[in-house]
Amino acid sequence: MVLISPILQNSLNNNSQNASLNSSDRHEKFYEDLAKKPHKIKPNEPKAKLIKQGPIKGMSSSVKDTAKDGANFFKAAKTGKMNDNSLGRINDLGMKIGGLLIACFLALKSKTKTAAIMEFIGAGSFFASMALWPKIFINLPSKLIHGVDPGQRYISAQGDKKDFYLDNQFLVWDATDIKDEKEQRRHQKTALQNRTLWMATAGFSTPLMTSLFCNFIRPKVENGVIEHGIKTAEKNLAGEKTTFQKVSSKTKEVSSKIKGFFITPKPAKDYNEDLIENLFNSYKNKELDKKFFEELADYMSLKDMSKEFTSIDDTAPIKTFSEKNLPDVLEQYFKQNTPVNKDSLKEALKGMGIKKLQGLKTLSDKEIDDLIASLGENLSLENVERKLKEINIPSSEIKSRLNNVELDYTSFFDNIRTYNKETVTPFKDNVRTFIKNINPIVGARTESAYTRTYSDTLNNLIKNPAFGENGKTLKKDLLRRDKYLGNEVSLKDKIKNRVFSLFKKQEKSSVKSSAKGNDYEAISLRKFFEGVVKDVEFGSKEYKELISDLSKPIERMPDRELIDRISDENTIRNLRPDSAYSELDEVFFGKEHYSSIQKNIHNFIINQETDKEAIVSRPIICTNFEARLKEGLIKVNGKDIREWPEALSAARKLVYEGSRNTIENYALTARGVGDDILFADLCDVIFDKNAFKNEPEIVQNNVSKLHEYTKLFVEQIADSDKPIPVKNATKLNLMNADHKHFTCCDISDLMKAHAIKMTNNRAWLKIFGSMGIALAAVTLLVQPFFGNIKNEYPDENTKGGKK
Amino acid sequence: MLVVGVKMQQITNTNYENLPKIGYYSSNERRREDFYKEEPHIHKQGPLSGVKAGAHKLYNDILVYFPKGFSGSKNSDFYEYLSLGMVPYAIGSAMLIALYSGANSKFNRGDAFEAGKVAKCFGSGVVLYAAGKWLSKKLSRTLIHASTGVNLDMLYMNKVNELPEKGQDKGLVRVQYPGVFSSVDFYRKDLIDADSELNHDNDIYYYWDKVAKKAGYKDKQNASNQLMDDKIRKLDARAIALENINKYVAAALGVALGSQKAFSEIKLTHPSTILTALKKGAKQLWKGTDKNVFTKHAGKALAIGALVTTLIDWIVPTIGYKTNPNTMKSKVDAKKEYEVG
């Protein structure tokens, strides 16, 4: 057999003239023809084909290809036979597996469901961005501008899918219709330039696109998680709704009833049966006394259960009891519900006598049987006792006799155990699920309906058209960290510096020598203000000058009109959030829930304003206080507080610290004084309107507001049943157990967290969003300059005409 | 004339082994010198060869390959395009870190502090991703090298003769550092032959004999190059396929390690804190958290998974490569004389 090169073989087979000839003749004829016309021999038809498919088909085929990569991996590991292209593709598969592993691991570490879901979305969108960036910002514009697709793919003769322009020096033009050399060069050049652009931009674009997309999608995912949580909670609680309503009609404060669930969410304990067994054994042949029932209650974890349940549920086996009467209630229940053992009862009744005139007559066997039969099914101790009394057996004898009777107490426990298992535990679980989904204290703060309601409300506030043009200022102010919602460090610093420079200028204080440069903190505030007023008489001309100097920073306060507008009732009404989350929240929070949110926001803004005013006013209030104190003008119940250290230190706390967290500070201060009434009097003197006549209006306003707050607070302390509007309910709980009131969450914390999140997002978006836009713009703008081949064919341009 | 003189001397000398070589390349040193000047060749491999080649690539990416690519040069080739692939990796890593820490200056102090912690974990994750990838590949390839004698990381110095660009009379000669075994289809056995020939007394079988012995052939084989060719190809393909998976498992382990709390305490001004974080972080990863079974054991599973896949990447190609000497006997006895009919 003669070996013929594949090219010749092709020519041989394709020659139809020779088809009729046999093999050897065909060869002869072939070589004859070859000798005659060698130019007629042609290479094989190209097998390579361009892939032309839309984006949807492209996606489905990329899924198929990934599956094929997986199969190729095992084939390569098994046989060791695989070409470079397929091996290279396994790398992409590995990258995806690695990405998935990372997402899984980080999702496990995530604290919230949203964060966990976002890990997977993040990994997915990272790979999507990697694929989409060149498609949208490079290939598509290139197709539109130059008619060249740098991402064009083809199937090679070996069946591999490859990028057509992968290797700049190996382009399979045979697979295309492009025959003109110049055109080929133009395609080659454009594609190379675009692919280089891709390499230059991919490093920026992939992380940017991913994080921008994730930032966009995250709130939606969070909403989804919240919705799902609420639905689950509602579904779980559908059966419990009536119970809740029952509770709410029974007691005024539902919240206090269920507070146990989120303060100490303990699962219902099972009974310690061994201990109970021992207890019963130790009481064999003994009277069941109070101690027995105390211990029994303890071993049955009844205390734990009773607190929340006996008053909620009418069907509870043991009815309402307090901790004090628990043993009595238990004893009663025990007697009513614990059957006696028939045989041992029989045994006990033998020899038991009825006193008759003719002497003691013991019960006969028949009488005993009749007696037991008459008891019927109700073999409880109580019933037996009653029956025996009926036939005149003395109670002292009954007691001692019945103590020898074996009690069939298993059914008693079964009753309670079943109830606990079937009712108590699921109910607790359901309540916990519900609370978790609507209340931010137990659940993750960011994933509760309550939190979302606040964020919705704040969004509404910002978007509210009622603010008109001022809305913009408000938005700006709300989101500026040094104004309403963030720390007031910069403002504080300004004022401190101002006061300090004033202090230096006046050169009146003895503490001056101890101050170095601007080291304001080095001087104690008290000493400083004492120094400032040392030689100044309260109300004198000098005092007025001092105050007017200190008032200068106040002139730069933002306009108050805005705050007044927010305080408007109509505006507040418009703040109602769009997303109503659950009808069950009415049971928990009452119908006024939404309006309370609006009110909270209103209060929050006012508080912020007050706090800011307080910061500005503080130096003046301190000066005023020290000036009056020096002259003995601050008296409580006619007593100068300089001679009363506790009151003096409380007063100073009020004056020097009562600013940012006004109410909370006052709460602490008030407790420090120890006497609420005296504390109220003290506030009346310190924030006396009449003492601030020389001060600017804003300080007067602030003083009256502070006065109002302190009064309010003192009232609330006195009436300890009312929830205290404090910053952080849990903090206070630790401080004083009497004030464990159900306050959902701290409004200012939520608002602040949300506003700061918005500010941060904006700051982030401003940097990276604009970076993304700039990147996209540059990528698009350079592309028209690509594919210029004029200078590579200079002859044509100078001589004109094509060759 | 000088050459003739040498030739004359040679004839009179009877000790053939000590004869000087004939011709222009009378010594291999000179021949090697000329060959190395003009032709692609395997250069001396050191522990830092890979790092040097990487640095060469990165340097040229910025100064040569990008300008060439953007100008659409005819001379731009696949090696250059692949080298450019390093750039998105480097920029992307920096970008990922920047995304987590770049806006910190705009946040308030508390948030910036918290974001900084996350950024440190994230930055460590990015660095450890690359480290894990590199280490896993390096470990399996070192083990393969030790057990088979085939260094899959072997590089060669390629000399590319470019076409003249506009304004050039003669094209440039550029140096590249591709791997000898980077391509399974076209691994550079010609360069291995040339290397053996030039550096081992004209013995073109030197390399092949060496690896054949390691593969389990006790006796010297005839045409060991043909014998080993298929084996090396399979070794290469298996190793590449497996490492393309296991290096990403190790990379995932790197990210998992970087996400541990210990890394949020790193202070960049104190490099010793990085070591502490590595130690602490590894412990934290291994211990897990008690939230549930998964969080408790995920770290262990990932660490063991990365180690096992890396070892598989050594074991599977090596088992396929090695020959049991007892089962393989040359059919032709080299010491016996045969008649060829």
Side-chain angles (χ1 to χ4, degrees):
Chain A
M1 183 70 194
V2 186
L3 280 172
I4 305 175
S5 89
I7 293 173
L8 298 183
Q9 185 73 50
N10 183 41
S11 186
L12 176 64
N13 292 341
N14 291 345
N15 199 329
S16 56
Q17 284 179 356
N18 303 334
S20 57
L21 300 171
N22 69 32
S23 173
S24 63
D25 287 348
R26 209 156 54 174
H27 274 99
E28 270 177 34
K29 182 83 175 34
F30 171 73
Y31 284 110
E32 202 182 311
D33 287 353
L34 184 63
K36 280 178 193 164
K37 358 172 186 169
H39 59 281
K40 282 220 165 175
I41 300 166
K42 281 182 182 165
N44 284 352
E45 283 295 312
K47 279 187 194 163
K49 262 185 206 166
L50 292 185
I51 301 172
K52 279 173 186 165
Q53 54 187 192
I56 293 163
K57 222 180 170 189
M59 258 195 265
S60 76
S61 73
S62 82
V63 172
K64 266 188 218 161
D65 288 346
T66 306
K68 206 179 157 192
D69 293 339
N72 277 344
F73 166 73
F74 288 107
K75 199 182 155 196
K78 202 180 165 194
T79 64
K81 280 179 186 166
M82 194 55 54
N83 62 27
D84 286 341
N85 186 60
S86 304
L87 285 172
R89 284 192 55 99
I90 293 172
N91 187 59
D92 296 350
L93 177 71
M95 212 197 258
K96 282 170 199 161
I97 291 172
L100 200 64
L101 282 175
I102 292 169
C104 285
F105 187 86
L106 295 181
L108 281 177
K109 274 190 74 103
S110 306
K111 282 180 186 140
T112 61
K113 277 182 196 164
T114 311
I117 295 170
M118 284 313 292
E119 293 299 345
F120 290 98
I121 294 179
S125 55
F126 190 85
F127 289 112
S129 311
M130 212 149 68
L132 282 178
W133 171 258
K135 282 201 172 105
I136 297 170
F137 288 93
I138 290 175
N139 299 351
L140 184 67
S142 173
K143 258 191 259 181
L144 295 175
I145 301 169
H146 303 291
V148 178
D149 180 6
Q152 179 68 55
R153 286 157 66 72
Y154 77 108
I155 301 174
S156 74
Q158 287 76 36
D160 295 327
K161 280 181 187 168
K162 287 181 180 174
D163 274 10
F164 185 83
Y165 296 102
L166 188 66
D167 183 349
N168 186 46
Q169 310 214 327
F170 180 78
L171 298 172
V172 195
W173 292 117
D174 284 344
T176 67
D177 302 326
I178 306 160
K179 302 294 172 206
D180 179 26
E181 189 204 323
K182 211 176 133 188
E183 188 63 9
Q184 284 178 357
R185 174 65 192 134
R186 188 177 75 80
H187 274 75
Q188 181 194 26
K189 188 167 185 174
T190 314
L192 176 64
Q193 286 171 321
N194 271 309
R195 288 171 73 88
T196 310
L197 182 65
W198 173 25
M199 285 296 120
T201 52
F204 297 103
S205 69
T206 310
L208 266 178
M209 274 176 84
T210 308
S211 47
L212 287 171
F213 174 75
C214 286
N215 254 23
F216 164 76
I217 208 81
R218 195 191 166 98
K220 289 166 181 59
V221 172
E222 197 170 272
N223 253 359
V225 169
I226 292 169
E227 288 295 334
H228 179 77
I230 292 166
K231 269 183 195 157
T232 316
E234 283 182 342
K235 213 172 152 191
N236 280 353
L237 282 180
E240 315 285 1
K241 202 180 162 189
T242 46
T243 316
F244 281 122
Q245 277 165 351
K246 232 189 291 175
V247 177
S248 62
S249 65
K250 265 185 191 170
T251 54
K252 277 182 187 170
E253 274 193 33
V254 190
S255 53
S256 72
K257 192 48 66 190
I258 56 165
K259 67 175 190 266
F261 292 108
F262 43 90
I263 293 171
T264 48
K266 269 191 279 181
K269 275 188 233 155
D270 211 343
Y271 316 114
N272 195 330
E273 291 188 26
D274 288 345
L275 287 175
I276 291 171
E277 191 80 47
N278 288 342
L279 180 69
F280 271 93
N281 287 337
S282 69
Y283 271 87
K284 220 164 195 177
N285 303 331
K286 267 193 223 166
E287 200 180 334
L288 299 178
D289 55 9
K290 201 175 174 184
K291 204 184 150 216
F292 169 84
F293 286 104
E294 258 171 17
E295 272 184 57
L296 183 64
D298 211 31
Y299 295 154
M300 284 164 66
S301 309
L302 267 178
K303 277 181 194 164
D304 195 38
M305 187 184 86
S306 68
K307 268 186 207 165
E308 295 120 11
F309 275 91
T310 44
S311 62
I312 288 179
D313 191 353
D314 287 339
T315 63
I318 299 176
K319 298 289 179 300
T320 317
F321 55 83
S322 67
E323 273 184 48
K324 277 176 193 166
N325 69 6
L326 175 62
D328 299 334
V329 177
L330 189 63
E331 187 178 356
Q332 196 196 345
Y333 181 78
F334 188 81
K335 281 186 171 173
Q336 279 170 357
N337 293 280
T338 313
V340 292
N341 187 307
K342 263 187 197 173
D343 295 336
S344 74
L345 180 64
K346 233 184 212 175
E347 204 62 36
L349 291 177
K350 264 176 197 171
M352 204 178 249
I354 304 167
K355 268 182 190 159
K356 286 195 170 173
L357 283 172
Q358 52 268 64
L360 190 84
K361 193 202 166 206
T362 49
L363 288 167
S364 69
D365 283 1
K366 199 184 168 270
E367 275 170 326
I368 291 171
D369 284 343
D370 287 347
L371 182 71
I372 290 174
S374 70
L375 288 169
E377 286 298 303
N378 193 352
L379 280 170
S380 67
L381 268 178
E382 199 185 49
N383 206 19
V384 176
E385 238 178 58
R386 194 161 45 79
K387 268 273 159 178
L388 290 174
K389 265 182 194 168
E390 271 173 24
I391 54 170
N392 265 337
I393 291 179
S395 60
S396 59
E397 200 171 345
I398 301 169
K399 268 199 171 175
S400 63
R401 289 270 173 169
L402 283 186
N403 276 335
N404 296 330
V405 173
E406 275 179 40
L407 290 171
D408 185 13
Y409 52 83
T410 46
S411 65
F412 161 75
F413 288 115
D414 282 347
N415 250 348
I416 294 179
R417 195 184 293 118
T418 314
Y419 179 78
N420 206 8
K421 213 176 193 176
E422 288 175 0
T423 315
V424 179
T425 313
F427 180 80
K428 276 194 165 190
D429 286 346
N430 287 341
V431 171
R432 211 170 295 126
T433 316
F434 184 78
I435 297 287
K436 201 173 130 188
N437 283 302
I438 58 168
N439 183 342
I441 292 178
V442 170
R445 292 177 73 92
T446 51
E447 280 180 357
S448 71
Y450 198 77
T451 329
R452 192 184 57 175
T453 311
Y454 275 103
S455 51
D456 282 359
T457 312
L458 187 62
N459 284 336
N460 279 1
L461 177 73
I462 287 165
K463 282 181 211 153
N464 201 318
F467 296 123
E469 280 189 15
N470 270 340
K472 272 185 191 168
T473 332
L474 171 73
K475 200 161 141 186
K476 230 174 161 182
D477 278 356
L478 274 175
L479 299 180
R480 263 177 57 181
R481 61 197 161 99
D482 58 343
K483 291 234 167 158
Y484 288 98
L485 303 165
N487 51 45
E488 288 88 353
V489 171
S490 60
L491 186 61
K492 271 183 193 168
D493 285 347
K494 263 184 209 163
I495 291 165
K496 271 183 188 174
N497 289 339
R498 168 82 198 154
V499 172
F500 187 63
S501 66
L502 186 79
F503 162 63
K504 267 170 86 176
K505 201 175 81 187
Q506 288 185 338
E507 291 186 0
K508 277 181 179 175
S509 174
S510 56
V511 287
K512 191 213 157 199
S513 54
S514 69
K516 286 170 196 164
N518 270 335
D519 193 6
Y520 182 78
E521 297 294 341
I523 316 164
S524 129
L525 269 175
R526 185 170 67 82
K527 277 192 175 176
F528 169 66
F529 282 109
E530 274 176 356
V532 169
V533 296
K534 200 180 170 194
D535 304 328
V536 182
E537 198 188 327
F538 180 67
S540 68
K541 199 187 157 197
E542 280 172 317
Y543 177 80
K544 281 175 191 166
E545 271 174 21
L546 181 62
I547 294 296
S548 97
D549 257 356
L550 283 167
S551 308
K552 270 176 189 160
I554 299 173
E555 288 159 17
R556 288 194 292 274
M557 287 280 289
D559 67 313
R560 286 191 43 83
E561 192 207 355
L562 194 63
I563 301 298
D564 293 340
R565 294 184 109 190
I566 298 170
S567 326
D568 184 61
E569 280 297 317
N570 281 329
T571 313
I572 297 295
R573 212 164 293 140
N574 285 336
L575 293 178
R576 193 192 165 103
D578 302 328
S579 51
Y581 48 83
S582 165
E583 52 178 281
L584 281 170
D585 68 316
E586 279 187 14
V587 182
F588 279 93
F589 304 109
K591 281 181 183 170
E592 293 301 301
H593 183 48
Y594 289 118
S595 66
S596 76
I597 286 179
Q598 292 150 20
K599 215 165 221 161
N600 273 342
I601 288 170
H602 175 219
N603 284 341
F604 172 68
I605 292 164
I606 304 288
N607 285 358
Q608 289 290 321
E609 184 61 16
T610 312
D611 284 354
K612 207 174 66 189
E613 281 174 4
I615 290 170
V616 183
S617 320
R618 202 197 321 173
I620 297 169
I621 297 176
C622 290
T623 313
N624 176 297
F625 173 77
E626 294 293 350
R628 281 196 286 154
L629 186 74
K630 186 179 56 128
E631 285 161 34
L633 292 173
I634 298 188
K635 287 178 185 168
V636 178
N637 295 348
K639 199 175 168 188
D640 190 343
I641 66 161
R642 280 181 294 180
E643 291 153 20
W644 187 4
E646 289 89 8
L648 181 59
S649 100
R652 278 214 162 103
K653 264 186 187 167
L654 273 175
V655 173
Y656 285 89
E657 289 166 26
S659 60
R660 171 85 181 89
N661 303 321
T662 319
I663 304 171
E664 193 175 0
N665 278 334
Y666 282 12
L668 295 163
T669 319
R671 297 240 156 80
V673 175
D675 187 333
D676 297 342
I677 312 298
L678 281 179
F679 179 71
D681 291 345
L682 190 61
C683 292
D684 285 344
V685 180
I686 294 171
F687 301 118
D688 183 8
K689 251 198 311 196
N690 299 323
F692 286 86
K693 275 179 181 160
N694 296 318
E695 278 69 6
E697 201 191 327
I698 195 163
V699 179
Q700 291 180 13
N701 271 337
N702 191 242
V703 165
S704 66
K705 270 184 199 165
L706 291 175
H707 194 190
E708 213 173 286
Y709 277 126
T710 43
K711 264 189 170 171
L712 182 77
F713 189 75
V714 170
E715 273 169 24
Q716 272 157 348
I717 285 184
D719 186 2
S720 59
D721 281 346
K722 277 186 191 166
I724 305 171
V726 283
K727 243 196 107 206
N728 195 326
T730 44
K731 255 191 205 168
L732 259 197
N733 286 345
L734 291 174
M735 209 166 71
N736 188 339
D738 290 345
H739 293 286
K740 253 191 229 167
H741 287 282
F742 176 54
T743 34
C744 266
C745 191
D746 168 25
I747 157 79
S748 69
D749 266 5
L750 275 179
M751 293 289 285
K752 197 172 155 187
H754 182 70
I756 285 175
K757 212 164 104 185
M758 279 174 82
T759 322
N760 290 353
N761 277 352
R762 263 154 215 258
W764 186 91
L765 204 66
K766 213 172 165 185
I767 298 172
F768 293 105
S770 47
M771 205 170 177
I773 292 168
L775 181 71
V778 170
T779 308
L780 293 175
L781 286 174
V782 295
Q783 293 191 38
F785 300 102
F786 287 171
N788 183 3
I789 52 163
K790 269 182 194 165
N791 58 352
E792 290 184 28
Y793 297 88
D795 297 354
E796 268 179 36
N797 295 331
T798 49
K799 288 172 190 171
K802 285 184 180 178
K803 278 180 193 172
Chain B
M1 288 306 285
L2 186 74
V3 178
V4 177
V6 173
K7 204 176 178 182
M8 294 301 284
Q9 265 185 353
Q10 183 193 338
I11 293 165
T12 54
N13 198 331
T14 47
N15 189 352
Y16 290 101
E17 293 213 346
N18 291 338
L19 283 180
K21 302 285 188 302
I22 315 163
Y24 178 75
Y25 290 119
S26 54
S27 77
N28 253 359
E29 276 80 46
R30 190 155 176 193
R31 195 171 143 215
R32 194 189 302 130
E33 213 173 274
D34 280 7
F35 186 83
Y36 278 14
K37 211 181 276 172
E38 302 284 336
E39 300 293 328
H41 60 273
I42 295 167
H43 56 291
K44 207 179 174 192
Q45 308 285 314
L48 289 176
S49 294
V51 180
K52 272 185 203 163
H56 179 266
K57 274 182 194 173
L58 200 59
Y59 172 81
N60 279 289
D61 277 342
I62 295 154
L63 294 178
V64 181
Y65 305 157
F66 265 125
K68 269 170 91 177
F70 275 126
S71 65
S73 164
K74 274 181 251 184
N75 289 312
S76 185
D77 64 13
F78 191 47
Y79 173 87
E80 293 179 3
Y81 184 68
L82 282 184
S83 301
L84 287 183
M86 287 170 79
V87 175
Y89 255 102
I91 295 177
S93 301
M95 193 69 211
L96 278 173
I97 296 171
L99 281 167
Y100 273 78
S101 56
N104 278 9
S105 60
K106 306 276 174 199
F107 296 168
N108 68 30
R109 217 178 293 164
D111 287 351
F113 179 70
E114 288 301 319
K117 276 187 181 172
V118 179
K120 276 175 194 167
C121 278
F122 202 85
S124 314
V126 169
V127 173
L128 290 170
Y129 179 93
K133 222 175 124 183
W134 181 83
L135 261 176
S136 161
K137 195 172 158 181
K138 196 77 199 165
L139 180 63
S140 60
R141 286 191 166 205
T142 307
L143 289 170
I144 287 174
H145 187 188
S147 51
T148 65
V150 181
N151 179 9
L152 293 175
D153 276 332
M154 187 153 58
L155 299 171
Y156 67 96
M157 188 191 273
N158 198 12
K159 308 260 180 172
V160 180
N161 292 288
E162 289 191 347
L163 294 167
E165 294 281 355
K166 206 185 167 199
Q168 286 176 346
D169 289 339
K170 208 181 154 199
L172 295 171
V173 178
R174 289 208 193 272
V175 173
Q176 300 176 344
Y177 291 100
V180 174
F181 297 101
S182 291
S183 162
V184 176
D185 299 337
F186 304 103
Y187 82 93
R188 297 302 297 268
K189 54 182 167 182
D190 56 327
L191 299 182
I192 295 173
D193 287 348
D195 191 56
S196 298
E197 193 181 349
L198 288 169
N199 294 311
H200 300 283
D201 294 334
N202 293 338
D203 179 8
I204 64 164
Y205 296 112
Y206 174 81
Y207 182 83
W208 308 107
D209 285 343
K210 205 174 78 179
V211 293
K213 204 172 171 189
K214 272 239 169 190
Y217 294 100
K218 277 180 183 167
D219 305 323
K220 198 173 175 182
Q221 301 290 311
N222 296 322
S224 54
N225 57 348
Q226 288 176 39
L227 181 75
M228 295 313 294
D229 177 49
D230 187 45
K231 281 185 168 295
I232 286 181
R233 222 182 269 282
K234 280 181 180 169
L235 176 81
D236 198 9
R238 281 188 177 117
I240 291 174
L242 288 162
E243 86 193 3
N244 276 346
I245 303 292
N246 70 42
K247 68 186 176 190
Y248 289 107
V249 180
L253 176 66
V255 175
L257 181 61
S259 73
Q260 299 305 310
K261 210 178 159 192
F263 284 89
S264 65
E265 288 150 15
I266 281 181
K267 277 178 198 149
L268 290 174
T269 44
H270 297 80
S272 65
T273 55
I274 296 172
L275 272 180
T276 326
L278 273 171
K279 269 188 223 161
K280 262 195 191 171
K283 264 186 207 164
Q284 286 170 355
L285 179 74
W286 186 261
K287 271 191 176 175
T289 53
D290 287 331
K291 207 165 110 194
N292 58 42
V293 192
F294 297 107
T295 54
K296 181 123 184 100
H297 301 293
K300 276 176 220 146
L302 207 50
I304 293 168
L307 185 69
V308 167
T309 49
T310 302
L311 291 179
I312 285 176
D313 183 20
W314 162 50
I315 293 164
V316 169
T318 312
I319 285 176
Y321 177 83
K322 289 254 181 181
T323 309
N324 187 347
N326 300 326
T327 59
M328 294 300 287
K329 256 188 184 174
S330 176
K331 282 172 189 170
V332 182
D333 190 348
K335 286 168 192 165
K336 208 172 154 189
E337 281 189 15
Y338 288 94
E339 264 187 41
V340 181

